[in-house]
Structures are given as structure tokens and as C-alpha cells.
Amino acid sequence: MMKKVRILFCVLTVMTFAMAGCSSKSASTSDKPTISSKTRDKISEYEGTIKSARNLNESGDYKASNKALNGIRVADLSNHGFGSLKTEYFQLQKSNDAFLLKKAKKQNQATGTNTGSGTTDLSTNNSFSSYPKFAGDYEFYNYDPDRLQSDLVIDSDGTVLQENTDGSSFHGVATISGINEGNVLSYDVTTDTNKTKKITANVKVTVTWSNGENETYYGYMSYDGNAVLTDGKSYDGDSQ
């Protein structure tokens, strides 16, 4: 899974000063990048998606709002002309996740207070304070339409929310610890394909779901400095 992150662009503005003189000429300006009709159509499509997601957010249907946002390819938002859409996309996602995580925390507390055999401990923890880059919102890389998972959100206190393609969601709690484990299977995120590679994991994230099941992810930092999680498993369609 690749982490969804805000990308901060550093823009250097070059100012050209013309010196006054009897033979001065007006400075030439470079042409602005043009936007193709195909790109304009995609922007228009995404504007409609953002509008739907915004309306759902304002009506309190945060899960449906995030599901609508899944119709946008995050990589497209870094292209020319998508700047305002990118800003609103992440603002909406952050707002939705805040409310959904709040609900997940309440569900975790309710699960943790149940008595009797089979009680699952979903207490929050501060383990992510030592690894803050691994808390955040993740999307599943090389998305398979038949796969249930859509997004995974990990809060700084360990609360976990998994949103699914069928509109359902799972909640639980995660702990993280440092490791140095090689030969862990992951996708080669530089290729934007299903090509796999072996990586050295720096952290292990153990998720305990409300039904008592456990799931393990291995984390490392990608070439661009972003956090990546992998379950280390192979799937149909993967290539080496």
C-alpha cells in the first residue's frame, strides 16, 4: 500500500528587471502550458466527483464521500491544471477520515468494554509516536477490482479504519515496532505496475481487528521518502 500524502511544491519565482534606456525592448514571455481537450474532460469529470463528495461530506455521509473520492486517480492530481482539485481532494479526505476515525474510536471502546470470553482488547497506544511517518491514510497499490479493501487509515493513537469497496468498514487498533527484516515481498512502486521486489522492512505493524483477528504489515520508506506498507504476500497477476 502506498501512503496518500500531501506533496508540497516549492515554486521559485524568477523576476526579471528591465533597465530603462533609449533602446530598451519589452521582455519576452514564455508560453503558458496548454491543457489538452482530453485533460479538460478529465478535469470536468473530477470536478463532478469532487462536488458529489463535498455534498456527501456536508450531509454527514463521510463513508460515501470517501467512496466517491475513490473515483479519482490520485496520480492525476499532480498533473498541470489539477491543482485546485488536488487541494480540495485532500481537504475532503482529511475531513471524512477525522469523523470516521472518531466513530471507529467509539466502536473500539465499545468492543473493549464487552465482558466475557473472547473479549478483544482495542486500547489505544502511543507506539506510533516513535514512527510518526507511518501514521496516515493509505491506498492499496495495484488495485484489484475484486479485492475488498479500498483504503486503510491509521491514526497516531493506533486506531485503524479499513474502508471497503462494498461500503462496509472494519475497525481495530495497531501497534508498531522497529525491525530490520530483509527479503520481504513488496511492489516496485517506481514502475506503476504489478512488478514485485524484495525489500528490507524497517517496521512491523500489527493490526488487531474488532473480531479478534490479527493482520501484519511490514513498513519501509520508498525512494521518494514516503511510507509504504506491505503484507509480504504474493497475489495473482504479480510479476517478478
Side-chain angles (χ1 to χ4, degrees):
M1 291 182 296
M2 292 187 64
K3 188 176 182 181
K4 293 180 181 177
V5 294
R6 294 175 182 267
I7 302 175
L8 180 63
F9 290 92
C10 180
V11 180
L12 301 179
T13 303
V14 180
M15 301 183 67
T16 303
F17 296 90
M19 296 182 64
C22 59
S23 61
S24 64
K25 297 181 180 179
S26 59
S28 62
T29 58
S30 59
D31 294 334
K32 294 182 179 180
T34 58
I35 299 177
S36 67
S37 59
K38 183 178 180 180
T39 298
R40 283 196 295 269
D41 290 343
K42 181 60 68 174
I43 290 174
S44 179
E45 175 190 337
Y46 284 175
E47 285 175 341
T49 302
I50 289 289
K51 182 179 180 180
S52 297
R54 186 192 312 119
N55 290 338
L56 289 165
N57 172 276
E58 291 173 350
S59 65
D61 198 344
Y62 308 110
K63 187 182 296 185
S65 179
N66 265 352
K67 188 175 182 180
L69 290 177
N70 286 337
I72 293 177
R73 185 172 180 267
V74 179
D76 288 343
L77 300 180
S78 295
N79 296 333
H80 175 67
F82 290 80
S84 60
L85 290 172
K86 181 177 182 178
T87 298
E88 187 158 11
Y89 174 94
F90 282 111
Q91 286 176 342
L92 279 171
Q93 184 186 73
K94 183 177 181 180
S95 174
N96 291 333
D97 289 346
F99 283 100
L100 290 171
L101 280 170
K102 185 177 181 180
K103 181 179 179 181
K105 292 178 194 293
K106 291 182 178 179
Q107 291 174 323
N108 284 352
Q109 291 172 355
T111 302
T113 55
N114 289 337
T115 58
S117 60
T119 299
T120 302
D121 183 9
L122 297 179
S123 302
T124 56
N125 61 84
N126 62 357
S127 62
F128 281 87
S129 62
S130 299
Y131 306 94
K133 289 187 176 181
F134 288 93
D137 192 316
Y138 293 83
E139 65 175 338
F140 283 81
Y141 180 78
N142 194 28
Y143 179 70
D144 181 348
D146 295 327
R147 187 177 296 170
L148 178 65
Q149 304 97 324
S150 174
D151 293 280
L152 185 76
V153 187
I154 304 177
D155 200 15
S156 58
D157 67 358
T159 302
V160 179
L161 173 69
Q162 178 180 298
E163 298 176 60
N164 302 317
T165 56
D166 63 358
S168 65
S169 61
F170 302 148
H171 63 94
V173 68
T175 57
I176 187 171
S177 59
I179 60 171
N180 183 23
E181 185 170 335
N183 293 318
V184 177
L185 189 66
S186 182
Y187 286 112
D188 186 347
V189 297
T190 65
T191 65
D192 199 27
T193 67
N194 59 350
K195 185 177 181 180
T196 59
K197 66 176 183 178
K198 296 293 182 67
I199 57 92
T200 297
N202 309 119
V203 298
K204 180 171 72 172
V205 177
T206 302
V207 179
T208 301
W209 298 109
S210 59
N211 62 0
E213 294 183 359
N214 293 322
E215 193 166 8
T216 301
Y217 293 105
Y218 301 91
Y220 63 100
M221 304 304 294
S222 69
Y223 68 99
D224 56 2
N226 290 328
V228 180
L229 294 181
T230 176
D231 59 9
K233 301 176 183 178
S234 61
Y235 293 90
D236 291 341
D238 289 352
S239 63
Q240 296 182 350

